[in-house]
Amino acid sequence: MTDRPTALVTGASSGIGLATARLLAQEGHDLILVARREDRLTAEAESLRRSGSRVETLPADLADSEGLRTVVDRARTGRVDLLVSNAGTGGYTALADLSPDDVDRLWRLNATAHITLARAVLPAMLQAGSGGIITVASLLAFSAGLDMGFPRTLYVAAKSAVVAFTRSLSGELRGTGVKATVVCPGLVDAEWSGGINHTDPRAMPAPDVAQALLIAHRHDETLCVPGIDNPETIQNWTDTEPTLLHRGNHARLALRYRQPPVA
């Protein structure tokens, strides 16, 4: 055991997860790295240990119920000061073309895993009165009403769920010493989805996203969009929620619904 804080990072073999692990190692964290690719985890762990970090590797597929259970069991035991729940996948397929098993696996990885892992680390964090949870979602969480030119229903639903979950959790944790932040990057230059964004000029380098998420978390930002300079842009979006909630919550039916529907 050491006095260094310990971070558990999922999706840690490449992209945002690996970039975040590297930054945390530089800052003096010990690490628990989770990813499917054991060979990549082993290689990266050796490199990170040279910075002085104690590094544990946990090969697991969070889209698989057994894999998720393995990581949850580890998260419940031993010290975890920071959870960076980053693992995810695209699955950009029309809902009707996905098998029930595909739906189950994609939802587990992109939504359930974030919630389940957060629940696993919370009791110890709350007892300690300190700790942090960072979830990685996507700007596509805000695209449900837009025509993006490609199918993404399940992905958008999962990422929207992660945004809502983390923002609600942040409020629930207020005053406990434990913080929660959800990060919504746009296109990222990484190996994700076969490196499809490598040549896209709009793609942000993964290390920049990693830097943004750590800074946002330390500044107590609940919602981080790495590409937005003006925080008022995010505030303006969140300010619309009370309008819907309070104006819609009364007993009188809206005028436009008072006529019976035409058969």
Side-chain angles (χ1 to χ4, degrees), residues 1-230:
M1 297 294 293
T2 71
D3 291 331
R4 296 159 59 98
T6 298
L8 190 159
V9 184
T10 70
S13 63
S14 65
I16 297 171
L18 176 57
T20 303
R22 288 172 173 169
L23 285 178
L24 289 169
Q26 292 171 14
E27 295 172 1
H29 283 70
D30 290 334
L31 299 165
I32 305 166
L33 304 182
V34 178
R36 291 180 297 110
R37 296 177 289 183
E38 185 172 5
D39 57 336
R40 289 289 298 271
L41 275 183
T42 300
E44 294 299 340
E46 287 302 317
S47 175
L48 291 167
R49 289 184 184 111
R50 288 195 286 272
S51 68
S53 294
R54 294 177 68 249
V55 183
E56 175 184 345
T57 60
L58 191 56
D61 183 357
L62 298 182
D64 176 75
S65 58
E66 289 298 323
L68 178 56
R69 188 175 298 114
T70 296
V71 182
V72 166
D73 289 345
R74 175 60 185 87
R76 286 174 175 159
T77 60
R79 177 176 178 177
V80 176
D81 301 282
L82 177 66
L83 168 66
V84 182
S85 188
N86 162 72
T89 191
Y92 299 145
T93 304
L95 187 62
D97 295 332
L98 290 169
S99 71
D101 286 345
D102 288 336
V103 171
D104 186 52
R105 287 178 57 81
L106 289 169
W107 188 264
R108 185 182 295 111
L109 178 59
N110 286 330
T112 304
H114 297 284
I115 298 168
T116 306
L117 289 173
R119 173 61 184 83
V121 300
L122 264 178
M125 289 182 178
L126 290 171
Q127 185 175 14
S130 64
I133 294 168
I134 301 174
T135 58
V136 178
S138 167
L139 274 182
L140 286 177
F142 309 108
S143 73
L146 304 178
D147 181 5
M148 302 293 291
F150 59 94
R152 66 197 188 286
T153 297
L154 189 63
Y155 182 81
V156 168
K159 294 304 184 181
S160 298
V162 173
V163 172
F165 163 74
T166 312
R167 292 180 64 221
S168 297
L169 179 63
S170 178
E172 186 176 305
L173 295 174
R174 194 169 294 119
T176 67
V178 183
K179 302 186 295 184
T181 299
V182 59
V183 185
C184 295
L187 299 177
V188 180
D189 185 359
E191 294 178 26
W192 193 81
S193 287
I196 192 173
N197 297 327
H198 281 327
T199 59
D200 195 316
R202 300 169 298 169
M204 182 176 290
D208 288 355
V209 178
Q211 178 173 307
L213 68 84
L214 291 177
I215 290 175
H217 187 65
R218 287 163 191 160
H219 289 177
D220 294 332
E221 294 180 21
T222 300
L223 174 60
C224 166
V225 181
I228 289 183
D229 282 317
N230 189 348

